[in-house]
Amino acid sequence: MHRLKVPALSAEMSVPPAELHHLRVLRLRPGAEVRVFDGQGAEASATLLRLDEGGALLALGERLENTRETPQPVTLAVALLKGDKLSDVVRAATELGVARVQLLQTRYADVPDIGEQKLVRLRRIAAEASKQSRRALVPEVLAPMPLARLTLEGQGFLAHPGSGLRLLDKLHWSAPVTLISGPEGGFSDAEVEALTQVGFQAITLGPRILRAETAPLALLGALAASGV
Amino acid sequence: MHRLKVPALSAEMSVPPAELHHLRVLRLRPGAEVRVFDGQGAEASATLLRLDEGGALLALGERLENTRETPQPVTLAVALLKGDKLSDVVRAATELGVARVQLLQTRYADVPDIGEQKLVRLRRIAAEASKQSRRALVPEVLAPMPLARLTLEGQGFLAHPGSGLRLLDKLHWSAPVTLISGPEGGFSDAEVEALTQVGFQAITLGPRILRAETAPLALLGALAASGV
């Protein structure tokens, strides 16, 4: 069943341009059943009313209980790590419910960039892990971008030693959530400063030193253990 | 600085037989400074008063803020997993602050037992990970025991699909904590029944299916993200 992201569930919905291509490739005809979700946890069946050069129109069907996804999409923004560490992180993060993994280029990241082949591999791992954990959503894995270009939509948190704030005390599910996890060498002071100025809140992961591949799983584990 | 485990901190403390050997190897003399900890989170400096054939005596010094250990010892009881998965679990669990890993033989465990060599390897991994995460405590890794022989001291929790209870809602730090994590095939109904009768509480790890090596890290991650 093809799933489409729409800005919001409503009685009649135009298909966003980004999704039109998929519908055309699938050669769907009027009357075809699809699923629509708003990326905020709401999901429904829908029927294709019209698909032509001008766009596509959907009629809302039955709303579905979306039991596998978090109430709001969670993005894990993780610094580039060397070896197979990113594979391990993407696999476990997918099980733990992320909607998106944004790879980050940071000052002290293990490697400056990753090749297209590795990115394709990470996307395949996300798809496999999504299936294994019986999710309906395959997390996006987005190509590396410089930390400085990371913007904040909704709430954002940054695992950072020294903070006493607790993720679950600060998190509310009224907006998308971004969790940032750094490289083995940590973030530079300037990076932390820039992130907090954008609105990211530094939170604790306890008093021990975690490896860069363990920290994101601890963050996401905290969400999973809260039942979402 | 040499660290010694003692049954309790008190003004004068006899050194337990298990620790005497280390003191002798170190050739410490009366007046030497050591650290003592009770395994429950309390730590202090101490001065060696006497060391001879009959044993050793310590005088309590200043209490230290123990910033790396959880308020009560946490035991991770984890079903036997195949391949390198147990190594990964022990390594990450050590970073996340466990005091002890108890290996479990369960109905659907990947393997019925592990050899002495593998156990030694797991203990070495715990020691390495403890150092890397700058902990003062090296978690014990206890040889596999049948699930049925697991007793409950303090509070115990069992990650089990279908439960709606949340770990952090139920956990209080007034007693030691045991977290149980099952094998890839899960626990049998009889095993869950037996554990709950002993007093373990079933808790959620969210609505997705986690791999057996991810679940323990999610549990422990929730503790770490709560700041302990």
Side-chain angles (χ1 to χ4, degrees):
Chain A
M1 180 78 77
H2 188 64
R3 288 174 90 246
L4 288 165
K5 185 156 186 264
V6 293
L9 302 194
S10 59
E12 289 206 348
M13 296 164 284
S14 307
V15 174
E19 299 277 2
L20 268 178
H21 177 66
H22 293 289
L23 287 192
R24 293 199 172 113
V25 168
L26 291 168
R27 297 175 187 275
L28 293 186
R29 290 163 183 279
E33 285 286 311
V34 296
R35 290 208 175 161
V36 290
F37 65 100
D38 66 358
Q40 312 281 309
E43 186 164 354
S45 62
T47 307
L48 186 62
L49 296 178
R50 185 168 64 74
L51 173 62
D52 54 33
E53 287 303 306
L57 199 65
L58 298 165
L60 189 66
E62 195 181 0
R63 284 193 183 241
L64 304 168
E65 202 64 51
N66 186 332
T67 57
R68 301 281 185 203
E69 300 303 321
T70 52
Q72 295 277 347
V74 174
T75 298
L76 173 67
V78 61
L80 292 179
L81 308 174
K82 64 188 167 191
D84 279 336
K85 294 177 185 178
L86 278 180
S87 304
D88 294 342
V89 168
V90 166
R91 187 177 292 110
T94 300
E95 294 169 54
L96 292 166
V98 295
R100 188 184 298 119
V101 176
Q102 172 66 63
L103 301 173
L104 286 182
Q105 294 163 323
T106 76
R107 174 92 189 264
Y108 300 126
D110 295 354
V111 289
D113 206 350
I114 60 170
E116 183 63 23
Q117 205 178 350
K118 186 147 192 180
L119 192 59
V120 167
R121 179 153 182 265
L122 293 176
R123 287 173 177 153
R124 200 179 60 231
I125 286 169
E128 289 166 1
S130 174
K131 195 172 167 187
Q132 275 199 325
S133 56
R134 301 191 204 158
R135 290 180 66 187
L137 192 75
V138 175
E140 295 178 279
V141 180
L142 301 175
M145 64 149 73
L147 182 75
R149 280 186 35 218
L150 193 65
T151 55
L152 178 55
E153 182 203 357
Q155 281 197 297
F157 301 94
L158 158 73
H160 191 59
S163 172
L165 295 183
R166 309 201 272 186
L167 175 60
L168 293 181
D169 289 346
K170 293 291 166 185
L171 179 77
H172 50 79
W173 287 107
S174 58
V177 173
T178 300
L179 302 174
I180 307 183
S181 186
E184 207 60 43
F187 293 113
S188 72
D189 291 345
E191 286 175 329
V192 174
E193 175 68 19
L195 288 171
T196 51
Q197 285 202 346
V198 173
F200 286 92
Q201 299 176 68
I203 48 156
T204 180
L205 277 177
R208 292 160 300 276
I209 308 297
L210 302 182
R211 283 175 304 153
E213 61 268 43
T214 305
L217 309 194
L219 287 170
L220 294 168
L223 299 190
S226 79
V228 301
Chain B
M1 181 78 76
H2 188 64
R3 288 176 89 247
L4 290 163
K5 186 156 186 262
V6 293
L9 301 194
S10 60
E12 288 206 349
M13 296 163 285
S14 306
V15 173
E19 300 276 2
L20 268 177
H21 176 68
H22 292 291
L23 287 192
R24 294 199 172 112
V25 168
L26 291 168
R27 299 174 186 277
L28 293 186
R29 290 164 182 276
E33 286 286 312
V34 297
R35 290 211 174 159
V36 291
F37 65 99
D38 66 358
Q40 311 280 313
E43 186 165 353
S45 62
T47 309
L48 186 62
L49 296 178
R50 186 168 61 77
L51 173 61
D52 54 33
E53 287 304 304
L57 198 66
L58 298 166
L60 189 66
E62 194 182 0
R63 286 196 182 238
L64 303 168
E65 204 63 54
N66 186 330
T67 57
R68 302 281 186 204
E69 300 303 320
T70 52
Q72 295 276 346
V74 174
T75 298
L76 173 67
V78 61
L80 292 178
L81 308 174
K82 64 188 168 192
D84 279 337
K85 293 177 185 177
L86 278 180
S87 304
D88 294 343
V89 168
V90 166
R91 187 177 292 111
T94 301
E95 293 168 55
L96 291 166
V98 295
R100 190 184 297 117
V101 176
Q102 172 65 64
L103 301 173
L104 286 182
Q105 293 162 322
T106 77
R107 174 93 189 265
Y108 301 127
D110 294 354
V111 290
D113 206 349
I114 61 170
E116 182 62 23
Q117 203 177 354
K118 185 148 192 179
L119 192 57
V120 168
R121 178 151 183 265
L122 293 176
R123 286 172 178 153
R124 200 179 60 232
I125 286 169
E128 289 166 1
S130 174
K131 195 170 168 191
Q132 274 200 326
S133 55
R134 300 192 203 158
R135 289 180 67 187
L137 192 74
V138 175
E140 296 178 280
V141 180
L142 301 175
M145 65 147 73
L147 182 74
R149 282 187 33 219
L150 193 65
T151 56
L152 180 55
E153 180 203 358
Q155 282 197 295
F157 301 95
L158 157 75
H160 190 60
S163 171
L165 295 183
R166 308 201 270 186
L167 176 61
L168 293 181
D169 289 346
K170 295 290 165 186
L171 180 78
H172 49 80
W173 287 106
S174 58
V177 173
T178 300
L179 302 174
I180 307 184
S181 185
E184 206 60 43
F187 293 113
S188 72
D189 289 345
E191 286 176 329
V192 174
E193 176 67 19
L195 288 171
T196 51
Q197 284 199 348
V198 174
F200 286 92
Q201 299 177 68
I203 48 156
T204 181
L205 276 178
R208 292 159 300 276
I209 308 298
L210 302 182
R211 282 175 304 151
E213 61 267 43
T214 305
L217 308 194
L219 287 170
L220 295 167
L223 300 190
S226 78
V228 302

